[in-house]
Amino acid sequence: MKASPRLVKAIINLWPPFLGAGIRVSRIAPDWREVDVSLRLGLTNRNYVGVHFGGSLYAMTDPFFMLMLMNCLGRDYYVWDRAGRIDYLKPGRGRVSARFRLDEVQLAEIRHHTAGGEKYLPELTVDVVDHGGDVVAKVHKTLYVRRKKDRR
C-alpha cells in the first residue's frame, strides 16, 4: 500500500528530529514531484554565532529527493541516498526554505538509464533560500537507483 502525500507530510512534521529542529513540510504535491520545506531559526537549531546550524540546514533537505523518487518511480525500483554535500554560501537567519522539484525529463532520464537493470546515480540539487530569496546553501544529493530484476 502506498502512503498518501498528506499522511506522509503529517508523519514527517511529527517526527521528533524534524519537530525538535523546527523543520516543517508545508506541501507535498499529489504526484510527489514537488515538496516545500521550511526551517525556522530557534534555540534548538542556532549555532554559536546565532545563525542556522549547518546540520539543521542539511537535515531539512536530507530525505526528500529519495522519498519523491520512490513514489514517482514506484515499487519497480530500488532508491537509496548514496551521498550528500552542502555548500554554505551565506549565514542563514530567520526562516529558510527549500523547494524540491522533479520534472518528467529527469524521471525519463532515470528510467532510461535503469531500463536494463543497471544502477544509475543521478545528482539532484536544491537551494536553501532565506526570506529575501537569497541562496543560503546549495545541497547536492546523489541517489542510487536501480530497476528490480523481476520488474524489467
Side-chain angles (χ1 to χ4, degrees):
M1 184 174 135
K2 190 173 174 178
S4 74
R6 188 174 176 188
L7 176 62
V8 171
K9 176 185 157 192
I11 291 169
I12 289 173
N13 283 332
L14 292 174
W15 190 45
F18 275 20
L19 191 60
I23 298 166
R24 185 114 183 114
V25 176
S26 57
R27 183 170 96 70
I28 300 176
D31 65 0
W32 286 93
R33 291 187 187 193
E34 300 177 4
V35 174
D36 296 330
V37 180
S38 65
L39 171 63
R40 63 171 169 69
L41 182 62
L43 292 176
T44 61
N45 63 14
R46 71 178 61 220
N47 65 17
Y48 186 73
V49 294
V51 298
H52 278 287
F53 170 62
S56 295
L57 290 172
Y58 184 80
M60 76 178 281
T61 66
D62 187 33
F64 296 105
F65 279 128
M66 184 182 82
L67 290 172
M68 293 166 73
L69 277 177
M70 288 172 67
N71 284 282
C72 286
L73 296 173
R75 295 184 184 270
D76 294 348
Y77 292 83
Y78 296 110
V79 180
W80 295 95
D81 278 327
R82 171 92 184 243
R85 184 181 93 239
I86 186 167
D87 298 321
Y88 301 104
L89 304 175
K90 73 177 266 191
R93 295 180 173 89
R95 184 175 297 273
V96 296
S97 60
R99 302 188 76 153
F100 298 84
R101 302 290 180 262
L102 289 174
D103 61 35
E104 188 53 44
V105 172
Q106 292 168 306
L107 294 172
E109 182 177 333
I110 291 168
R111 287 183 186 106
H112 170 75
H113 285 287
T114 59
E118 304 85 2
K119 72 177 179 184
Y120 182 56
L121 306 174
E123 184 174 298
L124 303 169
T125 304
V126 66
D127 291 336
V128 177
V129 298
D130 63 16
H131 59 279
D134 293 330
V135 178
V136 170
K138 187 172 284 288
V139 179
H140 308 267
K141 297 285 294 189
T142 303
L143 287 95
Y144 170 98
V145 182
R146 182 185 298 262
R147 190 166 170 90
K148 293 178 180 177
K149 283 184 181 183
D150 58 339
R151 311 288 170 98
R152 291 183 209 152

